Amino acid sequence: MCGIIGFMSRTGRLISGDRIATALNCLKERGNGEGSGYVGYGIYPDYKDDYAIHVFLDATKDYDRIRHEVEEVLVKYGYILKDEEIPTEEGIIKQEQVSWRFFYRFDEKYIAVEEDMMVNIVMDINDRIDGAFVFSSGKNMGVFKAAAWPLEVAEYFKIDQYKGFQWLSHARYPTNTKGWWGGAHPFNLLGWSVVHNGEITSYGANKRYVESFGYKCKLLTDTEVVAYLFDLLIRKHKLPVEYAMSALAPRFWDEIESMSEEDKKIHEAIRMTYGGATMNGPFGIVVGTQEGMVFMNGEVEEGNTMVGLTDRIKLRPLVAAEKDDLLFVSSEESAIRKICPELDRVWMPDAGRMVIAKLEKKI
Amino acid sequence: MIPSTVPPKYKVFVDPERCMLCERCTTECSWGVYRRQGNKILTYPNRCGACLRCVSNCPRDAITVTLNQSCGREHPVWTPEVKQDVVTQAKSGCILLSGMGNAKEYPIYFDKIVLDACQVTNPSIDPLREPMELRTYVGKKPEKLEFEYVEEEIDGKKVKKAKLETKIAPNIKLNTPIMIGHMSYGALSLNAHKAMAKAVKECGTFMGTGEGGLHRDLYGYSDSIITQVASGRFGVNSEYLNKGAAIEIKIGQGAKPGIGGHLPGEKVSAEVSMTRMIPQGSDAISPAPHHDIYSIEDLAQLIRSLKEATRWKMPVFVKISAVHNVAAIANGIATSDADAVVIDGFKGGTGAAPKVFRDNVGIPIEVAIAAVDDRLREQGNRHKISIIASGGIRNSADVFKSIALGADAVYIGTAAMVAMGCTVCGRCYTGQCAWGIATQKPELVKRLEVDDAARRVANLIHAWTHEIQELLGAAGINSIESLRGNRDRLRGVGLSEIELNTLGIKQAGM
């Protein structure tokens, strides 16, 4: 049971982070104070074409040495344009990690493969450098998370001082692993940021699947694997988004049998090829990308929806809404209404079906 | 003649108070244990293998077969079986033969692995009300799918549509991940083969022909048949290859790794002779090596030849015994154009094997699956090949655990035979099977009623399939692909750290 709320402006309008914090606080009940987090897109306009790398460094006396090791990895492939401790408000929460950010540009010779290089860097740091975790590695975006309540994390990271065209947030109620800073959502790789409500029962299969493509699952939580699956299917394998979603939550064989020959062939091929990516168990996920937002429920919810209660009694709820250029998604409507009481449209996305919101222009 | 120093293993007792001298035991026993003399039934217990045909058929429940509690000196090392083997070999100077699987008490890892189930945070799924998908495709898969975008005009508007470019290699489609492995016609009776074929057809799965060719009576089941090419090439011709849905090259067998096969001449009846394309009454010997395969390249050539002979329309499997370097071998096979690797563990059954091999050579299937799946993933070859596990699969939990360890599907052998009536007496190699399963003697073969045996085998597969669905539901999983390699849902109990690491699972409680 976790709380999810996110919104984006299709026109790319920048909105202050205090809105998302206010909305997430409404879902406080869905967390237990052991993990809250935010991701904002469009927050670093001064470095919009460069990578913003957010790193957790163990808050021990060794943190300078650990940071230096991270820097050594980065300077091998490019330039640190600027680095600093992410501004925080002291005295709000106990600091387990020092949050550091690097604005980073690859050497020209790596530009053609810079995304692959960045993935390798993230995997290398997370796997090899004890005490360092990259928790955000996209362009013009950043994740802020910690083991605390929603408002505490927002105040700690001074979220109100950032402006973004898209915000996602998550209040965590950890069930599989203990609450810790790295385990809080969103999980991020490149531009992919995932917030997730539920439990992926296929985690073992998904983890071993992405690991066979070189991803290293080091954060001990099922959500991490979702971020890697998005990167693998959409960026590396270049699957059309709707088919990538179908790989994650495939159509039932019965449905496939009743499709047109062409669609049948495609969906059968998806299930045969991407069986390792199939996610099972109850889940509602929202994924932020540089271009927009994708969100979906798991197939399983369709079956588990109670008969006669066709809409809001889902085990892992997800509701979507629109107001002018804004698109909202949340585990509960109340969080949306908290920041936008008047809505043009509110709907429950069908189980297992994706909803994709895209920016009207590239930011 | 030196008398035997070892008493019979079994004691056979006919209760004279209950026996009505119907002599049914004398006709039912194919081993010659019973003979009527006057008003008595005499027994020759040293011929008894405890197949229990007599017990099952005695109309008065007068017969008891028990282990003979010898009053000889007990010795922890020189057990009656050990002494019996020495005496037998001292008499014959021959290799000891045995049937069925490994009979030593090695650890069964399946029994030291427990499954996970959902509680509170993730709901179980009710398999009676929700779809529970067990459909499995065995064969090569692409690493990724590629699409091309084409412009189409829909309702006067130009729309970009993604079209699938990737061609999927031939796979076989299973409704349940349980197949029946290769037991040849010759080793088994025609009635046993017919029963299994009917059963797999009903269940939407497959059976293997073994290396004995395919009897014409089974041609109607070709959509459910996997043909086999072993070193002896018995029964192999173009017609045979094209009468199956897939082909399997047998390199090794779990019960006897590193050696070939032998069907005694007594089992080569006229029908077996025609099907195998060998003279009637002659021994059918498959040598240990394929004399045209001495490397992975040679194997690849044979695979491609078989594909050519079947117009590249069917997948080709390669079966090997589970041995200590099975992972490297399987990885080589994955790069040789094969579509599935069958790994046969050392608990796997057999019609006939040297006892020393059956009981001492090979490794357990559980660790072999784990090692092969790991290696294929490390090398980026897992999609190139399916893994079929066999050798000691006893129940649906073994199937479930095999898949969670990394297999795509399993073969069963002994379990299907037991379903037909086999009592695992282990004397299949004699051709005297009193139950009509592992014999070619017409009077014994007719004891196996095809429809009844088919029903039992189909029931077994249906029952296990239901149980797998229940187990999946309990694990909160509704499609078998989310179980494949999902070792996270397994835990070990009573295993050492190195055993847990080899299996790739965590200790219970972690």
Side-chain angles (χ1 to χ4, degrees), chain B residues 246-264:
Chain B
I247 302 169
E248 179 169 307
I249 298 168
K250 177 193 164 192
I251 302 290
Q253 186 180 343
K256 39 188 172 180
I259 62 169
H262 179 193
L263 184 74

Side-chain angles (χ1 to χ4, degrees), chain A residues 267-286:
Chain A
H267 286 274
E268 190 179 51
I270 289 170
R271 288 199 70 164
M272 287 172 75
T273 309
Y274 292 106
T278 298
M279 299 200 310
N280 240 287
F283 60 85
I285 60 173
V286 183

Side-chain angles (χ1 to χ4, degrees), chain A residues 1 197-199 282-284 297 301 314-318, chain B residues 121-123:
Chain A
M1 167 158 158
N197 173 16
E199 197 163 318
F283 60 85
N297 284 324
E301 291 208 46
K314 286 184 181 178
L315 291 164
R316 294 296 184 271
L318 210 63
Chain B
T121 57
N122 52 355

Side-chain angles (χ1 to χ4, degrees), chain B residues 478-495:
Chain B
N478 58 12
S479 60
I480 196 90
E481 52 260 60
S482 292
L483 178 68
R484 197 175 303 133
N486 194 347
R487 299 184 195 167
D488 204 46
R489 310 312 298 273
L490 303 175
R491 289 292 183 276
V493 177
L495 295 171

Side-chain angles (χ1 to χ4, degrees), chain A residues 1 175-176 198-206 208-209 211-213 236-243 250-254 257 262-263 265-266 268-276 278-282 299-300 302-304 315-316, chain B residues 118 120-126 130-131 133 135 137 140-147 149 152 161-164 166 168-169 171 173 370 373-374 377-378 380 404-406 475-489:
Chain A
M1 167 158 158
T175 45
N176 283 327
E199 197 163 318
I200 299 176
T201 50
S202 55
Y203 172 62
N206 303 141
R208 298 186 74 229
Y209 178 68
E211 281 177 346
S212 66
F213 289 94
K236 293 203 79 172
H237 286 189
K238 299 185 172 27
L239 288 190
V241 178
E242 60 270 35
Y243 292 144
R251 299 284 160 265
F252 286 104
W253 285 118
D254 282 354
E257 293 300 335
E262 194 184 346
D263 285 345
K265 205 171 118 191
I266 290 173
E268 190 179 51
I270 289 170
R271 288 199 70 164
M272 287 172 75
T273 309
Y274 292 106
T278 298
M279 299 200 310
N280 240 287
E299 283 280 5
V300 72
E302 191 165 53
N304 282 345
L315 291 164
R316 294 296 184 271
Chain B
C118 295
V120 185
T121 57
N122 52 355
S124 312
I125 302 171
D126 181 351
E130 311 296 342
E133 300 184 315
R135 188 190 289 190
Y137 286 87
K140 204 180 282 300
K141 317 286 189 304
E143 184 178 10
K144 62 176 186 174
L145 292 181
E146 286 180 358
F147 291 84
Y149 290 89
E152 275 187 9
K161 221 178 156 193
K163 292 227 170 197
L164 185 63
T166 310
I168 306 280
N171 274 242
K173 183 180 107 180
D373 186 55
D374 280 350
R377 284 170 192 265
E378 280 163 23
L405 285 169
I477 291 172
N478 58 12
S479 60
I480 196 90
E481 52 260 60
S482 292
L483 178 68
R484 197 175 303 133
N486 194 347
R487 299 184 195 167
D488 204 46
R489 310 312 298 273

Side-chain angles (χ1 to χ4, degrees), chain B residues 68-327:
Chain B
N68 190 10
Q69 298 295 319
S70 160
C71 61
R73 186 198 165 199
E74 284 184 11
H75 194 288
V77 178
W78 292 95
T79 61
E81 188 181 345
V82 170
K83 283 191 286 184
Q84 177 69 64
D85 288 352
V86 171
V87 168
T88 308
Q89 291 195 289
K91 273 186 190 171
S92 69
C94 294
I95 288 171
L96 284 175
L97 279 184
S98 61
M100 310 313 293
N102 191 314
K104 283 198 175 174
E105 289 184 5
Y106 292 104
I108 298 174
Y109 287 107
F110 283 133
D111 292 341
K112 292 170 184 284
I113 298 173
V114 289
L115 310 173
D116 188 24
C118 295
Q119 306 290 309
V120 185
T121 57
N122 52 355
S124 312
I125 302 171
D126 181 351
L128 296 175
R129 291 167 182 83
E130 311 296 342
M132 203 54 68
E133 300 184 315
L134 266 59
R135 188 190 289 190
T136 301
Y137 286 87
V138 173
K140 204 180 282 300
K141 317 286 189 304
E143 184 178 10
K144 62 176 186 174
L145 292 181
E146 286 180 358
F147 291 84
E148 63 170 342
Y149 290 89
V150 289
E151 270 200 353
E152 275 187 9
E153 204 170 286
I154 300 174
D155 300 332
K157 277 185 188 171
K158 284 197 172 168
V159 181
K160 258 194 176 176
K161 221 178 156 193
K163 292 227 170 197
L164 185 63
E165 263 200 331
T166 310
K167 280 204 166 61
I168 306 280
N171 274 242
I172 54 168
K173 183 180 107 180
L174 283 60
N175 287 345
T176 179
I178 306 161
M179 296 184 279
I180 298 179
H182 291 256
M183 297 178 282
S184 70
Y185 171 50
L188 296 198
S189 67
L190 186 57
N191 280 4
H193 257 220
K194 284 180 180 171
M196 294 190 301
K198 282 183 88 142
V200 293
K201 186 169 186 176
E202 179 189 319
C203 297
T205 182
F206 292 80
M207 69 168 274
T209 58
E211 59 170 321
L214 183 67
H215 193 279
R216 287 184 172 273
D217 286 4
L218 271 75
Y219 275 15
Y221 297 96
S222 60
D223 288 347
S224 311
I225 294 282
I226 302 166
T227 55
Q228 193 177 64
V229 175
S231 61
R233 306 287 197 265
F234 300 124
V236 176
N237 59 21
S238 177
E239 183 181 79
Y240 166 70
L241 294 175
N242 283 290
K243 282 294 174 194
I247 302 169
E248 179 169 307
I249 298 168
K250 177 193 164 192
I251 302 290
Q253 186 180 343
K256 39 188 172 180
I259 62 169
H262 179 193
L263 184 74
E266 303 87 76
K267 278 188 154 184
V268 183
S269 63
E271 290 283 301
V272 171
S273 133
M274 279 200 340
T275 310
R276 288 209 175 200
M277 305 190 304
I278 54 170
Q280 190 174 343
S282 67
D283 283 12
I285 296 173
S286 308
H290 287 245
H291 288 304
D292 53 354
I293 302 177
Y294 286 87
S295 64
I296 285 287
E297 299 92 302
D298 293 345
L299 175 68
Q301 281 190 356
L302 178 60
I303 292 168
R304 286 196 287 271
S305 304
L306 293 170
K307 288 191 172 183
E308 199 64 44
T310 50
R311 286 161 290 165
W312 295 79
K313 283 187 174 165
M314 50 180 89
V316 174
F317 308 166
V318 177
K319 176 177 170 178
I320 52 170
S321 308
V323 288
H324 85 272
N325 58 338
V326 64

